[in-house]
């Protein structure tokens, strides 16, 4: 993979940028804990990609565990910290729907098409999706987006590794490798 072949990067949030809370949601800024190196990685990506977008399922709102205002507070905190490290996020797309058949809920592709509507120059086969879950990888594969799995959610024998283009322990490790090519 050559970095010059790509101009848009989609990032999942929980498990990629911040530590995922098992059986819970990040409901307020003090629960949002960055994964080591995530801010630095996004800063590096900011100089390389035209568009840096977050696509994140946020079912906690639909379940009444948090409000839209809570989510906005979390995202404001996240964006401020990323900017302090020299990075940027161009837009955050999220889906609060409860049902898996929602067009906007990953692995469905609605958030990608929202992004393409906002940024008409996005071409999916010139994009990368970095995520930590099966739904992230299915989202990417449905659209022809280069799929990068990060994290340790799945054991090494899991079939998910056969469906992705690349695997790295973290976003930081991916970016480190990407920029060396």
């Amino acid at each position: 993979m050559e970095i010059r072949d790509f101009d848009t990067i989609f990032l999942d949030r929980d498990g990629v940028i911040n530590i995922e809370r098992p059986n819970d949601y990040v409901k307020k800024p003090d629960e949002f804990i960055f994964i080591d190196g995530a801010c630095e990685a996004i800063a590096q990506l900011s100089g390389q990609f035209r568009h840096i977008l977050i696509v994140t399922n946020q079912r906690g709102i639909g379940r009444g565990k948090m409000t839209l205002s809570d989510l906005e507070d979390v995202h404001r905190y996240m964006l401020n910290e990323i900017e302090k490290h020299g990075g940027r996020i161009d837009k955050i797309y999220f889906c609060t729907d409860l049902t898996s058949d929602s067009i906007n809920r990953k692995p469905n592709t609605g958030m990608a098409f929202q992004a393409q509507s906002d940024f008409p120059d996005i071409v999916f086969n010139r994009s990368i999706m970095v995520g930590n879950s099966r739904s992230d990888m299915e989202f990417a594969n449905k659209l022809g987006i280069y799929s990068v799995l990060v994290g340790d959610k799945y054991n090494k024998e899991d079939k998910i590794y056969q469906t992705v283009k690349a695997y790295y322990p973290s976003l930081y490790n991916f970016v480190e490798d990407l920029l060396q090519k």
Side-chain angles (χ1 to χ4, degrees):
M1 174 176 73
E2 299 284 332
I3 192 168
R4 69 176 180 271
D5 295 335
F6 301 94
D7 58 18
T8 299
I9 190 158
F10 291 91
L11 302 171
D12 181 38
R13 195 191 80 180
D14 300 327
V16 174
I17 297 172
N18 62 288
I19 295 172
E20 199 163 22
R21 294 173 56 93
N23 304 310
D24 199 4
Y25 302 96
V26 175
K27 300 176 290 298
K28 51 190 176 180
D30 66 353
E31 295 176 347
F32 189 96
I33 301 168
F34 282 93
I35 293 173
D36 288 342
C39 286
E40 294 80 4
I42 294 170
Q44 291 290 322
L45 293 171
S46 296
Q48 302 295 322
F49 286 87
R50 182 179 306 148
H51 306 295
I52 302 174
L53 308 166
I54 292 175
V55 286
T56 179
N57 290 336
Q58 293 296 318
R59 194 180 271 176
I61 293 173
R63 289 184 171 161
K65 304 288 184 186
M66 58 193 291
T67 65
L68 181 57
S69 178
D70 294 332
L71 182 64
E72 289 168 347
D73 289 345
V74 168
H75 284 167
R76 192 171 16 263
Y77 168 75
M78 176 188 69
L79 292 172
N80 286 338
E81 292 301 309
I82 288 169
E83 287 172 12
K84 283 181 192 176
H85 285 84
R88 72 171 210 286
I89 299 294
D90 297 308
K91 191 150 185 187
I92 301 169
Y93 298 90
F94 58 90
C95 179
T96 63
D97 298 339
L98 294 175
T99 62
S100 296
D101 63 350
S102 165
I103 188 65
N104 293 317
R105 185 167 180 72
K106 293 180 294 179
N108 299 322
T109 56
M111 287 189 280
F113 288 106
Q114 287 177 36
Q116 195 176 51
S117 177
D118 291 338
F119 303 96
D121 59 329
I122 290 175
V123 177
F124 295 134
N125 67 4
R126 291 186 43 81
S127 301
I128 298 170
M129 173 69 202
V130 181
N132 74 321
S133 71
R134 201 171 307 283
S135 66
D136 296 325
M137 298 303 98
E138 289 175 19
F139 168 88
N141 292 336
K142 285 179 180 182
L143 294 159
I145 294 174
Y146 191 93
S147 55
V148 177
L149 180 68
V150 297
D152 60 3
K153 185 180 271 191
Y154 303 99
N155 67 49
K156 298 302 177 196
E157 293 77 34
D158 195 290
K159 291 181 181 181
I160 192 169
Y161 295 99
Q162 298 167 13
T163 70
V164 301
K165 299 289 186 189
Y167 165 77
Y168 292 89
S170 71
L171 176 62
Y172 182 83
N173 296 123
F174 164 65
V175 171
E176 199 174 47
D177 188 50
L178 182 68
L179 297 180
Q180 290 178 6
K181 294 181 178 184

